[in-house]
Amino acid sequence: MTAAPLNTQLSCFLAKVYVQPKMASRRLVQLSNEHWIVLNIKRSTVHHLQRCCVHSRIKEDLEDENFKVLNILRDKDVKRFKWEKPPDVRTLSRADCMKTDMNWTSVWPTKAPFRWGSVPLPIRQGYRKKEYKLSAGKYGNAELVKIPNFLHLTPPHIKTHCQAIKKFCTEFPSELKNREIRKANFPLEVITSDYVTCGTSLRDPRSREVTVNVDLSVLKFDEHSVTKIKKLAGDKMDEKAMTLQLKSDRCPVRKQNFDFNVYTLTALYYESQEKEDWEDEMEESDWVKYQWDKTQSKKKILKLKQKILQINSGEKTDLASSVSKSDPNVSVVDTEDDIQSYKSAFSNLKDEGDSRETLNAYKQSVLKLLKL
């Protein structure tokens, strides 16, 4: 089989090169089994052909009337689009449309989380990033939802609830509206408190506290019992009003605290009634309250009063015998006003200590006793 002539092989190779423009510029061509030829082909010719084809297509598109040309440099006469902030289209909430005389019990009838659209109040809650700024308002405020509210326990709500349960209650007796009558018939007063909370538990530790007030004048204590119960009760007793107040919250249940107060009152009562042997041996320094009738001051004042009467009358008179003849149950101190005023002034000076009021009262009693 004979090889093809050289001109024929070259023409075939050139045709392949022009058809496939991506081929290399340097090519080894085997003409025969014995000869090799190196061909240098410039790619500029192929690229020139491609650019001519692209230019012709662009020119055809430009001639089309529907083709829009991209203008990179904008015209100054054309008005540009200016973005504007859209207006606030939020509708009015229920709070904005409420009237001042609206029934609040119909707006918030029961316990519910906070709803900013139903509360016509300028409420703020939250952390302030800067001191001169206010806290966040109620609109969309999650802090107001976290905390409990008492919007369902306003005075109108409580009034409505009381009117609803009024038919199940009895009317308070009109005879007991007077405080003195009520105090005489019910000397024991018990005070407890109930608390309403929105927590997870209905129990409140403060509700177990019980306070018991007792009027000691009803118990009819003698002088010894009053002195002893004052010493035992301490600051729990009001000496002027003669009332005893007992508080207890040490027990877990309210009834247990009430029973403990009643037990304390019973123990104080019976302990004050007892009289020990050593109580008769008490000296003046051991007295809780100064007892003027048991001191030497009484004897000295009576002698002084008797001398004053003798000087004024010019005769010897026995003050004690003259009083005992008229009424044996009445003492000299009770009949003479000047001695009675001296007794109270001197006793107050011993019990309350030195002060301007006590010293002035003692001075006036002495002047009245000496008739100066």
Side-chain angles (χ1 to χ4, degrees):
M1 185 174 182
T2 61
L6 180 61
N7 295 332
T8 307
Q9 294 181 5
L10 287 172
S11 60
C12 293
F13 175 72
L14 291 174
K16 291 181 180 180
V17 170
Y18 282 102
V19 171
Q20 300 177 2
K22 295 182 180 180
M23 296 176 64
S25 61
R26 180 172 291 183
R27 184 82 174 182
L28 293 176
V29 181
Q30 186 179 5
L31 298 178
S32 61
N33 295 332
E34 299 175 357
H35 301 86
W36 294 84
I37 297 176
V38 179
L39 296 178
N40 292 328
I41 303 173
K42 294 182 179 181
R43 296 187 63 178
S44 60
T45 306
V46 179
H47 292 170
H48 179 70
L49 294 174
Q50 291 179 350
R51 284 196 295 271
C52 291
C53 295
V54 172
H55 181 71
S56 61
R57 288 197 300 271
I58 293 174
K59 187 175 181 180
E60 292 176 358
D61 294 338
L62 288 174
E63 292 176 354
D64 191 2
E65 295 179 356
N66 299 328
F67 181 75
K68 296 181 180 180
V69 181
L70 176 62
N71 189 7
I72 298 176
L73 299 175
R74 298 180 180 179
D75 298 335
K76 296 182 179 180
D77 298 336
V78 179
K79 294 183 180 180
R80 300 181 181 179
F81 175 76
K82 186 177 181 181
W83 184 84
E84 296 180 358
K85 184 179 179 180
D88 190 5
V89 295
R90 187 180 64 181
T91 58
L92 295 176
S93 62
R94 184 182 181 184
D96 299 331
C97 303
M98 283 185 183
K99 298 181 181 179
T100 56
D101 57 348
M102 188 173 184
N103 187 11
W104 178 248
T105 56
S106 61
V107 179
W108 211 283
T110 57
K111 174 186 173 183
F114 183 80
R115 298 189 299 269
W116 65 269
S118 300
V119 181
L121 300 174
I123 302 175
R124 294 182 176 273
Q125 176 73 16
Y127 174 74
R128 294 189 302 172
K129 295 182 179 180
K130 296 182 180 179
E131 294 182 357
Y132 60 87
K133 289 188 176 181
L134 296 175
S135 302
K138 65 178 180 178
Y139 176 72
N141 195 340
E143 297 296 330
L144 291 171
V145 183
K146 297 178 183 178
I147 60 176
N149 62 80
F150 292 92
L151 297 174
H152 61 289
L153 293 175
T154 58
H157 285 87
I158 297 175
K159 185 177 180 180
T160 305
H161 296 165
C162 293
Q163 290 178 356
I165 63 176
K166 188 176 181 180
K167 57 184 179 181
F168 301 105
C169 302
T170 57
E171 187 177 358
F172 191 80
S174 60
E175 295 81 4
L176 297 177
K177 290 183 179 181
N178 189 357
R179 182 175 179 83
E180 298 299 331
I181 298 176
R182 186 169 64 251
K183 188 176 180 180
N185 290 275
F186 301 97
L188 189 67
E189 182 182 9
V190 182
I191 302 174
T192 58
S193 301
D194 295 322
Y195 298 88
V196 180
T197 180
C198 291
T200 56
S201 177
L202 295 176
R203 296 185 178 274
D204 195 294
R206 296 174 295 176
S207 61
R208 64 186 179 184
E209 182 178 351
V210 180
T211 303
V212 177
N213 295 328
V214 187
D215 185 11
L216 298 179
S217 61
V218 184
L219 299 179
K220 298 179 180 180
F221 284 130
D222 56 1
E223 186 178 356
H224 167 263
S225 300
V226 171
T227 305
K228 194 168 184 179
I229 198 172
K230 286 180 181 179
K231 194 70 175 179
L232 294 173
D235 57 349
K236 296 180 180 180
M237 181 177 175
D238 187 1
E239 297 183 8
K240 295 182 179 180
M242 284 300 293
T243 56
L244 180 65
Q245 187 179 63
L246 301 175
K247 289 184 179 180
S248 177
D249 59 350
R250 63 184 65 189
C251 300
V253 185
R254 179 185 296 178
K255 186 178 182 304
Q256 295 176 346
N257 288 310
F258 173 74
D259 294 339
F260 177 78
N261 287 334
V262 173
Y263 167 76
T264 306
L265 177 61
T266 305
L268 288 174
Y269 176 77
Y270 285 106
E271 186 66 26
S272 63
Q273 295 293 331
E274 295 182 1
K275 189 175 182 179
E276 303 293 340
D277 297 336
W278 54 267
E279 294 183 15
D280 296 332
E281 302 175 359
M282 293 176 62
E283 298 180 356
E284 184 177 347
S285 58
D286 300 328
W287 291 346
V288 179
K289 188 176 180 180
Y290 188 76
Q291 302 176 13
W292 186 78
D293 294 330
K294 297 181 181 179
T295 60
Q296 295 294 327
S297 176
K298 178 182 178 181
K299 297 179 181 179
K300 293 179 180 180
I301 293 297
L302 291 177
K303 288 182 180 180
L304 178 62
K305 182 69 175 177
Q306 188 174 358
K307 289 181 180 181
I308 293 172
L309 293 175
Q310 290 177 1
I311 294 172
N312 293 333
S313 62
E315 298 178 359
K316 292 185 179 180
T317 57
D318 190 0
L319 184 63
S321 61
S322 61
V323 173
S324 61
K325 289 179 181 179
S326 60
D327 191 354
N329 297 324
V330 178
S331 63
V332 180
V333 180
D334 297 334
T335 57
E336 300 293 331
D337 295 336
D338 50 359
I339 299 178
Q340 184 68 28
S341 62
Y342 179 83
K343 172 186 175 182
S344 60
F346 191 75
S347 299
N348 291 334
L349 182 62
K350 287 288 187 180
D351 294 336
E352 300 177 6
D354 298 343
S355 63
R356 182 174 296 181
E357 291 77 9
T358 55
L359 290 175
N360 190 23
Y362 178 70
K363 174 184 175 181
Q364 296 298 329
S365 65
V366 173
L367 294 176
K368 183 178 179 181
L369 180 64
L370 300 176
K371 296 181 180 181
L372 298 176

